[in-house]
Amino acid sequence: GLILTHNVSALIFSPFALLYLLARAATATADRRRFLALGLLALGLGLALAAGFWAPALLETDRVQLTAQTTGYFFYGEHFRGVDLVQRSFWFDYEIGEGRTPFAMGLAQAAAILLGVAVLLARWVRSRRVRWIEGVALAGLALSTWMITPLSRPLWDHLPLLPMVQFPWRFLSIQSLFGALTIGTSVGYRRDAEGAEVSPRTSSSRLRGKFPWVVAVALVAALSAAGLARLRPDYIPISAEEFTAERLQLYELFTGNVGSTIRYEYLPREVVPRPWTGPSLFDPDRPPEPRPLEGGLLAARETLHGPIRRVWEVTVEGGGARVAFPLYWWPGWRAAVDGEPVDIGPAPDSGWATVPVPPGQHTVVLWLGRTPLRAGAEGVSVLAALALVALSFIPPQRHREHGGSGISYSKRASVLSVSLWFLLLCVLFTLPLLAPRYEAHGEGDLTMDFAQMPLLHHNPDGLDFGPVRLVEYDYSTDRLVPGEPLRLTMEWSGATEGLTATVRLVSPAVHLRRLPDRGWAEVRVGLEPTTEVVLPVPGWISPGLALIAVEVEGPEGRLPPRLPSGHTLGTTYLRPVWVRAAEPPSKETLATWANGMIRLHRVRAVQPAPDLLEVRLEWSAARPPVGNWGVNLRLTDPLGNEWARLDAQPGYGFLPTGLWPVDRRLPDRYVLPLPPGTPPGDGYTLQATLYRVATWEKLGTITRTVALTQTTLRPDAPVEAALGGSVALSRLDMPDRVQQGETLRWTAWWSVQGEPQATQAEWRLEGPTVLSTTLPLAPGSDPAAWPVGAWVAGKGSLAIPPTTPPGSYVLTLVLKDGTGQAVGTYTYPRPVEVEGRERVWELPPMEREVGATFGGVIELAGYDLEREGTTLRLTLHWRALDAPGRDYKFFVHVADPATARPVAQTDAMPRGYTYPTGIWVKGEVVSDPVEVSLEGVPPGEYDLAVGWYDPETGERLEARDAQGNPLPDNRLVLPDRLEVP
C-alpha cells in the first residue's frame, strides 16, 4: 500500500492535474485571491472532516504507549534518502534487497518532474512573470524533497510530532502530488506575445491548440508504463467467509503485530507487558472469560459481543468481587450492573476493564462512550460534512470571459470537471467487479509465510516448490495432547525422487526468533507422492498455539516455495494446531508465589551445547491470575559474576499468566545463550524470579545449583601472552577508565596448551596507590578439568573505593600455581585511568530544614516542594554522615494519614539510579529531584513520607528525627501535608 501510495500516486495525480490545468486554460482569467481562498477552504474542510480521527490520535497520546513507535528501526534518522533518492532503472523496481528499495523516486517520474521544472524556469525567464499556481507547485516540490534528505535533520530533531512519521521517505507521497502539479503547470497553458494567458481553443493554430493534450497523453502513458510494468501484485486466495476475527488475530500473532501496528503502538498504557497472544488463540475451545481481581467469581456468560458494547451474566460469591473483563480499558468505557452505573478502570498488569460486582447473579453491561475531546472532534467532522453537502448545492457563478471578478466559469470547464469526476467514479466502481472470486474447499491447502503472505490463505494449484507441489495435507488432529504423536499426511505432485521434507513443530516464539532453537520436534523424510510424517509431541510442550513448518530440500540444497509472481518465500507454515493443558499438576510444589496464586513445581537446567543453557519450569495456577507477569532467569558463578540473563513472559509471551487455567500442568521452557568460553563447573546458581513487569515488584524467587558440563574448544585461539603453567592468556577485555566508587570489571580468556598447573591470578593496579585482588582463573571452574585446546573465559572485578586517588594506573597480572608460586607475569600495555568525581560539600538553600537520619549514615538535611498539575516535584537534599558503602534505595510515599497506606509512590536510587549511595563519601551533599504522579489519587489530605531500605532484603534503614528519636515504621513524615482536590 505504501509503495503504491508513494510511487503510483503520481500516475493518479498527473492526469487530474493536467486535465484541471487544461480546463483552466480553456476559461477566462480567475480572481486569484478568491481561488486561493477556496483552496484554503477545501483544505480546512478536509481537516475538519477527519478531525474525529486525527484529534484523538494526536491529543490523547498520553493514554497510550508510543515509545516503540519512534525507536530502533522506526527512528527517522536511519531512513533519509541521499544518493538513493532516485532509482537507477527506468522501469520502477518494487523489490527490496541489497541496494534496491521501492521507497524512492522512480527514474521516469524524476525525469518528468525535472523536465517540468526546466520548462517553468524557462517560461519565467522569458515572460518575467510567475503564476501563483506554479510557485506553489515548485515550493511544495522543493519542501517535500528537502524533507526526505538529511538536510532536513534539524527539523526532524526539534519539531514535535514529526518523528511519528517514522520514515522521511514517506514524504514521497506529498512529493508526487507536487511533482504531478509541476508537470501539469508546465504544459497546461501558453502565453501570447504580451505574456497574457491564451486558451488553446482561441489559438490560431489547431496543432498548437492540441499540443497540451498530446503532451499530457504522452506523459501519462510513459509514467504509467514505467510505474506499472514491473508491478506484480500477488493474489491472496481466501473467501470472504474466512476473513474472520480469529484469522486476523492469527495474523497478528504470526507477524508479531498488534492490530494495525508493528510494535504495539497505541496500546493503552496500562497494558504492560505487551501481549503476544490472546484468549481465543491460546485456547479456541474455551471462550474468553472474566477473571476475579478481588473476591470470587462463580460463573460468567457473555450474551452480547459487539465492538463497542458487551453484556455479561455473572454470578459472584458472598462478599462481592471486582471482576476483570477481557477487553482493554480505555477512557470512555462505561459500565452498569443491573442498569446502575458503576466505576470502571484498568486491571494492573493486563489493562482489562474491571468492574465491582455485588454478591449474587447480575447483568453487567460495558459500552464505549465518548470523552469530551472525542465528542467535540466528531461534532466538528459532522458539521464539516454538512457544510460540504450544503456547498455542493450552491451553483457556480458565471462571469465574463475576460475581466470579470470571481471564479471564471465556462461550459467547457463544466464538461471537463463533470467528465473527470465521472471517470473517477467509474474506476472506483469497476475495480471491485474485476476482483477475482474464490470459494474455499476444505482446509487442506492452507499455508502462511512471513516473507510474502503472512495471512493464512489457500493454494488452489498447490504450493510450488519448483520440481514438486504440495497439493494437500491433513492432520490426525489439530488438538494435541502432550506425549501423543501427531500424524501429518501430505500429497505431492511432480518429481519427488531425491527430495526430502523437514517438518518441525515449533512455538511461535521460534518463528519470531525470540526463542533461539529449532522447536519441540523435527522429522526429516524422503518425499513420495503420499508422504506420512509422525511428529513426536514431547511431554514438556507448553499449552497454546503451535506452528508446523515444512521445508523441502533437493540435492543442491533447500527449495523455497514460489509465488506466481516469481517471488521466493522463506519457511512455509501449515495451518496451526493447539496443545491442550489437560493434565493436573504435580503434587510436589517447590514454591508458592503471588499470595498463593502461582505454584512452581519443577526447575530443571541442562546444557545441550557450550553456548546454550536450557531451563525448564513447571507451573500451575491455584486461582486464575489476572495480570501478565514476567520471568527473570539469572545465571551466576560462585563470586556473583553474571553469565546469562533472560527477561521474558512465560513461554516468551505465548504462555501468559493472565490466561492460565486453574489446576493444570503448565510446562515452560527457556533457552539462555551463553557467551563463548563459558567455563564448566558445578557451582553455578540459577535464580528464577516471577515479577510484575510494570513495577519490577518481585512476586517470588527461587535459586537452584546448576552444573555446566560443556567446554568451548578452540585449539587455534590466538595467544596474547604465554604465561607458563600450560595456560596462556588468549584475550583480555579491560576498560581503559573507571570512576571513583565503581567496580573495575574484566574478562580474561585462557587457552589451555597442556595439563594446567596455574589455578589463580593476582591482579594489581599500581599508581598513586596500589589496589590488588587474587582470584581463580575462572571462579567456580577447576582448571585441572580443562581439556587441552579448551578456551575458557574468567571474569574478575576489583572494587575502586570512592576515596581512591585519581590518576593513571598500570595493571599487572601474576599467574600462580596451587602453592601460590608465580608461574608467569603480564603487564597490560595500556594504562587504566581512575577518574575523580565532582562532589558538592556545601548545603544549598532549601525551603524546609529537616535533619532526620537513616541508618546513621544518611541525613535528610531538607527539601524543596512544588506541584504542577498532577505531578509532585520534590527536591531532597541528602548529606552523607559516613560513606554508606552500599547501594540503598529510597522511597517517597503519598500516604493515607490514618492507615499509612500509600496511594502514590516512587522508589529509586538517587538521581534516577545514576548516583547510587555506594559511591558517596563522608560529608558529601547530594541534591536529588524526584517526581511523583498524583494521577488517579482520590481527593483528600495526605502525608508525605520518606525512607531508605536495602533493595536486596527490603529491610528499611533505621530512621531518627533531628533530636535522635526513633521514627515509627522507620519512615519520616514530612511537615508539609498534601491536599489533592
Side-chain angles (χ1 to χ4, degrees), residues 100 226 307 330 347 465 476 818 902 942:
R100 303 169 68 183
W330 175 254
F465 284 90
S476 59
Y942 297 95

Side-chain angles (χ1 to χ4, degrees), residues 37 58 68 81 92 121 201 208 215 230 237 275 277 355 454 538 545 580 602 632 686 714 721 798 844 853 872 878:
L58 296 181
R81 291 282 176 261
F92 192 86
L121 293 178
R201 67 182 175 82
R208 294 180 66 187
V215 174
R230 289 186 178 178
T277 186
V355 175
L545 183 142
R580 293 177 174 174
R602 292 177 184 170
N632 172 266
L686 176 68
R714 240 188 109 179
L798 178 62
T853 62
L872 180 69
W878 309 105

Side-chain angles (χ1 to χ4, degrees), residues 52-75:
F53 169 77
W54 63 260
L58 296 181
L59 301 179
E60 289 186 339
T61 54
D62 61 322
R63 303 299 315 177
V64 296
Q65 304 177 43
L66 289 179
T67 302
Q69 187 176 14
T70 56
T71 58
Y73 176 77
F74 298 101
F75 174 58

